[in-house]
Amino acid sequence: MSTGDTIRTLATELERELDGAVELRHRLHARPHLSGTEAAARDLVLAALPSRHGHTEVAGTGAVVRVGGPGPAIAVRGELDALAVHEETGVPWESEHPGVMHACGHDVHLAALVALARAVDRVGGPAPLLAVLQPREETYPSGARDIAEDGILEREQCRAAIGAHVQPLLAAGTVACTPGGVNASADEFTVTVRGRGGHAAYPHLTRDPVVTLAHVVVALQSLVSREIDPMSSVVLSVTTLAAGTAANVVPGSATARGTIRAMRTADREVVHERLVDVATLVATAHGCAAEVEITRGEPVLDNDATLTAATQPLLGALGLKVASDLRSAGADDFSYFSERKPSLMLFVGTHGGTEQLHSPTFLPPDERIRDVAHAMLAGYLAAADLYI
């Protein structure tokens, strides 16, 4: 069967699956589960997949399902978890769990993945498809990291990985298929400055950690602007400050926390190193000491350039418009797959900038399930052609 015939056949089968996919999306949306508690969502998705395919449980509450015969396969990822957000959409299938909501489109991704898997199961495809039902995308420890480190992708002979994510910054009907880094690495840091506390009326008898930490925070703002190539994208944001309990007492310590985002791995490492230098040396200059703790999160999500180029014309053949390159300092743990396999994350338009992810009113229309499924199909076909 030619590539054109394969596209048409699978696209036709996807259309037949859309009503069921919409129903599944509504059920998932009404019963959201926070990261680490997704077993019921996993089981609901497994029940919608072709029954003759067994599954392997992974990462505690996740699963991997092989659709097709033995041999090298292409993985397609869907996320199981929801967010701690109180829904304000008012739809009949609104969340039944107060304070928990699918505010990031994971319900759409899962429904699209099921539609694709069912279509591939019924008419066949150029390669087996691994449906990866991933838990804990929204929190640490990362579900994708656990799956990658488990080795199941290697045991299942995974040759490439495909992901798709709704993106309200893009108009409906468009898909960003961008080579290189598309999501930043995401790390958290804590700086604790220790001085000598005392009476606020006698500051000369103290070593004030509050003033010292203020100087550290200001100094850190120059780190990116003066030590990173201005053509590179790095974010260092201090987001919390904590010190003291009384207005007339200089405390013994003060703490700042924040996040580091980088679009290049080399820049990520430079910022880590220099953050420690700046904090410790500024503290020393003020007669204090600083301790720095960096918690490494997701790596840079790097789209394989060859896979990206092969997918773009297939998106057009499926009626989707390829949008301009889209890169974001946001993070996605799909990057743990991209570290190990040729991978592609596609951003699928929903609103054209009129809504935001993680908002209590975020609700992609059901019609976007088709777009996400078609984007996944394009990536799957391109990967199968390149790597199988």
Side-chain angles (χ1 to χ4, degrees), residues 53-70:
H53 297 288
H55 69 275
T56 302
E57 293 188 7
V58 291
T61 53
V64 172
V65 180
R66 173 178 281 266
V67 178

Side-chain angles (χ1 to χ4, degrees), residues 222-235 263-264 267:
S222 297
L223 197 159
V224 171
S225 65
R226 288 297 174 266
E227 304 216 23
I228 300 297
D229 185 336
M231 302 307 293
S232 298
S233 297
V234 175
V235 174
M263 296 300 292
R264 299 195 313 173
D267 293 335

Side-chain angles (χ1 to χ4, degrees), residues 173-235:
T174 65
V175 177
C177 183
T178 306
V182 294
N183 275 142
S185 59
D187 307 309
E188 295 181 359
F189 66 88
T190 302
V191 177
T192 302
V193 173
R194 302 192 187 281
R196 183 170 69 233
H199 200 297
Y202 308 98
H204 60 295
L205 301 179
T206 72
R207 290 290 181 264
D208 192 337
V210 176
V211 172
T212 301
L213 182 61
H215 281 278
V216 169
V217 171
V218 172
L220 289 178
Q221 301 313 299
S222 297
L223 197 159
V224 171
S225 65
R226 288 297 174 266
E227 304 216 23
I228 300 297
D229 185 336
M231 302 307 293
S232 298
S233 297
V234 175
V235 174

Side-chain angles (χ1 to χ4, degrees), residues 260-281:
I260 303 165
R261 306 294 175 104
M263 296 300 292
R264 299 195 313 173
T265 300
D267 293 335
R268 180 191 197 190
E269 302 306 326
V270 168
V271 172
H272 284 196
E273 179 181 345
R274 294 296 291 133
L275 190 157
V276 174
D277 291 344
V278 168
T280 55
L281 293 173

Side-chain angles (χ1 to χ4, degrees), residues 278-343:
V278 168
T280 55
L281 293 173
V282 169
T284 298
H286 287 80
C288 296
E291 302 167 3
V292 180
E293 178 182 352
I294 297 176
T295 301
R296 296 179 74 92
E298 296 90 340
V300 177
L301 200 170
D302 221 347
N303 276 347
D304 182 85
T306 303
L307 180 54
T308 301
T311 300
Q312 289 180 353
L314 298 182
L315 291 168
L318 288 163
L320 295 167
K321 179 181 178 182
V322 178
S324 301
D325 287 356
L326 177 69
R327 307 181 196 276
S328 166
D332 191 303
D333 66 359
F334 185 78
S335 56
Y336 286 107
F337 300 150
S338 76
E339 276 193 320
R340 292 164 169 80
K341 308 290 178 184
S343 298

Side-chain angles (χ1 to χ4, degrees), residues 16 18 27 33 35 76 109 113 123 132 136 142 147 150 156 162 170 225 232 242 248 272 339 353-354 356 377 380:
R16 295 174 180 170
L18 288 178
R27 294 171 67 191
H33 297 275
S35 302
V76 184
H109 307 162
L113 174 55
V123 301
V132 179
R136 287 181 280 112
S142 158
I147 291 171
D150 174 86
E156 292 285 356
I162 304 299
L170 297 174
S225 65
S232 298
N248 60 351
H272 284 196
E339 276 193 320
T354 60
Q356 293 186 41
L377 172 59
Y380 159 74

